Amino acid sequence: MESMSSRRQSFGGLLVLISALALGGNANAQAAAPDSMAIVKRFADAMIDHSRENLPHKEVPLFPLTLLRDSYQIPRIKVGNLVNARVPQEFKTTANIHHDLNLYQIFDALSVITGDPKYAAESEKVIGWFLKHCQEPQYGFFCWGEHLGWDLLRNDPGGYLLDKPKDSMIHEFYRPWIFWERSWKLAPEACHRFAQALWRNQINHDGGTISFSRHAMILSKSTSRRGHDFPRHGGFYIGTWGADYRHTKDAEILEAVDKLVAFYEGRRNAKSGAIPHGSGDFAIDKSGKKTDYVYTQSPVALAIELGYAADAMPEDLKKRMLALADGIDTCFLATPHDPGPGGKGFVLFCDPTTLEPAEYWMTKEDLDSGKPPRRVPYTGGWRSAYSGEHPHTWVVPTLIARYQQTNKEGYKKLLVACADNYLTADPESGLGQPSKKGERGPDIEAGSIGNVIVLLNEVHKLTKEEKYLARAEWYAAWAVKKFWPDEHPLPRASVKENIYSAASRCDTLALAMLQTAMLRKDPEKEKALRLIATDR
């Protein structure tokens, strides 16, 4: 096992580079750029060699969600960034392969870059073990996502309140699962059973019409509920069924796709064509009226999954799916987004009929009492809030994925405008003092900076302009200073919280920095890596 002193010694050369960085306002500074490749490789090696060394069940190959950076222990203290990620403290003893998606992409990429197969083999081992061992037995839901994980201390489902399992043992997708083809090779029966669980037990069939909630209540009398049938989550189900149908040609799975597509076809606004957020999900507008609303990026996430799944479907259904996705593009691109320098931001919430930006409250009492809106119309800032503003990077990975599918010029223009904003935007501004008493302390999570770099990388590839890659390197240098401020190879969860946290998307930051390094060193090989922006 590598000693702490040798770890410090091997990291010394990187710290020399870091100390030499000029992190001022020069957007095109390239001098003394950090060795991102070495930093990311060292992070990957530490996860493989040390992250599981203190766990009681040595046969379990899964990676802990949270770790102390110096000792590789699961923290006993309260983890602030789990709160920020809306994850209960019970999550800190779990593993969750949804939260490690970009870590697996890093492993796969490192095997290509270094020629060492051990990294990709680690992805295969972890994903395969999870699929074969971490499926709840009653229905077939995998223990992953927003509310479930695999408890590494108990070797059992975890992440929920053990004293209130009926209320908190919930299946909900966190990210899109991008490894369905690999998963089918590793555990076909488990994958098919999961696809069936989504149709039979996540979708509600009461009264002869379908609806669902993103939350499947695994231990309740009925797992499925109605009215919170958000497009993003419906897209994840369709993506799952598309992968399943390619392999099984199961008529039940084809029916699932057909009926959920028809559901969203019927949800479109008669005037604009926009898909409101949920059939039973209403809010209060500034006039005090109860209304539905559009959460703009959610239908685009649905369009992405429709595009991926369509090729596996019979021709008539394929045409309907692609037409639905195309209509989603039209609505999103007709909305008055303004993400460029000095602009208002992406429109995140808007009126379904007019597509005009709008703010919303959850209740009339909240509006009347002067509380701030729950849904803020524009993106901005550096830190996400469940109630309030989200940074531009909240939307960016979705737009990147959809542009890569469609090559629609409207998406490219928005991505370039947003990247232009980050040519001068200073993350230090996100670390100032909160303006009002009681606000969250200033901080920036790893994933927020990671997705700025992802954006700049993508726009560099689209435009071939050096300024975007140079600025990505600037952010990578800033990230090294803030998230790797010492000899420890695991990145910090945030600028101000000194633990490793997958829920803060440390893997996104590392993957983005690896991509930046490859774009500078070997752009042809970077292209072959086919890295995917998954925070959508």
Side-chain angles (χ1 to χ4, degrees):
M1 185 181 297
E2 182 186 18
S3 69
M4 187 64 71
S5 61
S6 65
R7 293 176 198 167
R8 289 186 178 130
Q9 195 171 31
S10 64
F11 205 56
L14 298 180
L15 291 177
V16 170
L17 285 174
I18 295 164
S19 66
L21 296 174
L23 294 178
N26 181 0
N28 294 314
Q30 293 183 47
D35 188 349
S36 293
M37 187 76 69
I39 292 168
V40 174
K41 183 176 180 297
R42 194 162 183 270
F43 161 52
D45 288 338
M47 291 299 292
I48 293 172
D49 297 337
H50 301 294
S51 69
R52 298 163 291 196
E53 63 190 15
N54 295 307
L55 299 178
H57 300 280
K58 302 303 181 184
E59 75 278 13
V60 177
L62 307 177
F63 297 109
L65 191 84
T66 59
L67 285 168
L68 297 176
R69 296 177 61 243
D70 57 348
S71 65
Y72 299 100
Q73 297 277 355
I74 292 175
R76 297 183 180 181
I77 59 173
K78 182 177 181 179
V79 179
N81 275 288
L82 292 185
V83 177
N84 298 335
R86 295 196 306 115
V87 173
Q89 292 299 304
E90 286 76 10
F91 246 55
K92 66 188 177 187
T93 61
T94 66
N96 190 319
I97 65 171
H98 262 200
H99 288 263
D100 286 337
L101 269 183
N102 291 336
L103 181 62
Y104 308 141
Q105 289 201 85
I106 289 168
F107 289 160
D108 294 344
L110 285 175
S111 276
V112 174
I113 294 165
T114 67
D116 189 338
K118 76 170 185 179
Y119 297 103
E122 196 71 27
S123 294
E124 294 280 299
K125 179 175 72 175
V126 172
I127 293 171
W129 195 93
F130 178 91
L131 295 173
K132 293 171 184 175
H133 295 86
C134 303
Q135 192 168 31
E136 60 82 24
Q138 186 172 4
Y139 302 109
F141 291 112
F142 289 127
C143 296
W144 63 10
E146 284 271 5
H147 304 276
L148 278 178
W150 195 257
D151 193 288
L152 297 173
L153 303 184
R154 297 185 296 109
N155 197 20
D156 214 26
Y160 58 92
L161 302 173
L162 295 179
D163 59 339
K164 298 179 179 179
K166 288 187 178 180
D167 297 326
S168 60
M169 195 171 183
I170 300 168
H171 177 265
E172 178 187 359
F173 268 81
Y174 170 64
R175 281 167 162 166
W177 184 244
I178 63 171
F179 295 120
W180 277 125
E181 289 307 308
R182 176 184 293 184
S183 299
W184 261 91
K185 293 176 183 177
L186 293 169
E189 292 181 3
C191 291
H192 183 51
R193 188 158 181 258
F194 174 72
Q196 292 172 320
L198 289 177
W199 175 238
R200 296 173 182 178
N201 303 109
Q202 183 108 36
I203 303 294
N204 186 291
H205 301 261
D206 292 349
T209 61
I210 67 167
S211 178
F212 68 88
S213 167
R214 69 195 188 282
H215 293 160
M217 311 299 292
I218 292 176
L219 294 183
S220 295
K221 289 182 179 179
S222 175
T223 56
S224 57
R225 299 185 293 174
R226 301 180 72 85
H228 294 271
D229 26 43
F230 304 153
R232 173 175 176 263
H233 294 79
F236 295 156
Y237 310 158
I238 288 171
T240 303
W241 295 331
D244 185 277
Y245 190 71
R246 283 188 180 92
H247 291 272
T248 66
K249 297 297 185 284
D250 187 325
E252 181 184 24
I253 298 301
L254 181 62
E255 178 190 14
V257 176
D258 178 72
K259 288 193 173 180
L260 196 54
V261 169
F263 173 82
Y264 286 115
E265 289 172 328
R267 290 281 295 137
R268 292 173 293 190
N269 182 274
K271 182 176 181 180
S272 70
I275 301 175
H277 196 40
S279 60
D281 191 69
F282 299 99
I284 304 300
D285 66 18
K286 63 182 179 181
S287 70
K289 179 184 176 182
K290 185 177 180 180
T291 182
D292 55 11
Y293 60 93
V294 177
Y295 177 29
T296 60
Q297 73 158 0
S298 185
V300 181
L302 167 62
I304 294 165
E305 301 302 332
L306 288 166
Y308 287 143
D311 284 345
M313 299 297 138
E315 191 62 27
D316 287 349
L317 180 54
K318 175 181 177 180
K319 289 179 180 178
R320 287 171 50 208
M321 293 167 73
L322 295 179
L324 179 59
D326 189 63
I328 289 169
D329 295 334
T330 298
C331 290
F332 185 88
L333 295 175
T335 306
H337 303 288
D338 185 20
K344 295 178 180 179
F346 288 107
V347 176
L348 204 55
F349 296 98
C350 70
D351 181 278
T353 300
T354 66
L355 303 181
E356 287 300 310
E359 55 190 13
Y360 297 97
W361 288 257
M362 294 305 293
T363 67
K364 184 72 161 53
E365 291 74 21
D366 287 347
L367 173 64
D368 292 343
S369 64
K371 290 185 178 180
R374 175 74 170 269
R375 311 296 190 195
V376 177
Y378 287 101
T379 60
W382 294 92
R383 194 176 192 191
S384 300
Y386 187 56
S387 297
E389 195 172 50
H390 292 71
H392 303 325
T393 55
W394 193 257
V395 180
V396 160
T398 305
L399 304 191
I400 290 173
R402 189 60 181 152
Y403 176 74
Q404 289 173 345
Q405 276 189 326
T406 66
N407 291 316
K408 289 187 177 180
E409 187 66 20
Y411 286 120
K412 179 179 177 179
K413 287 180 179 179
L414 290 173
L415 291 169
V416 172
C418 191
D420 286 343
N421 173 72
Y422 286 111
L423 289 177
T424 56
D426 184 2
E428 293 290 338
S429 67
L431 300 174
Q433 292 301 314
S435 58
K436 296 179 182 178
K437 185 177 179 180
E439 288 185 358
R440 291 188 307 164
D443 201 0
I444 301 177
E445 284 79 29
S448 294
I449 295 298
N451 278 319
V452 172
I453 299 173
V454 166
L455 169 66
L456 291 163
N457 290 342
E458 181 67 18
V459 172
H460 167 71
K461 292 168 69 175
L462 292 177
T463 65
K464 310 302 181 186
E465 292 191 44
E466 166 63 22
K467 64 183 178 181
Y468 298 111
L469 182 57
R471 190 59 170 173
E473 291 171 329
W474 187 96
Y475 277 101
W478 190 89
V480 170
K481 182 181 177 183
K482 299 294 186 179
F483 295 95
W484 284 273
D486 48 37
E487 73 276 9
H488 303 306
L490 304 188
R492 295 167 70 110
S494 71
V495 171
K496 296 192 174 182
E497 187 161 25
N498 188 28
I499 62 161
Y500 170 79
S501 169
S504 294
R505 295 168 293 137
C506 289
D507 64 341
T508 296
L509 175 58
L511 182 68
M513 291 170 58
L514 178 66
Q515 184 181 40
T516 300
M518 288 303 295
L519 285 170
R520 177 66 69 191
K521 181 180 179 180
D522 191 342
E524 285 303 312
K525 183 170 283 189
E526 185 281 329
K527 186 177 181 180
L529 296 176
R530 302 179 65 83
L531 302 176
I532 298 171
T534 62
D535 290 350
R536 51 180 170 84

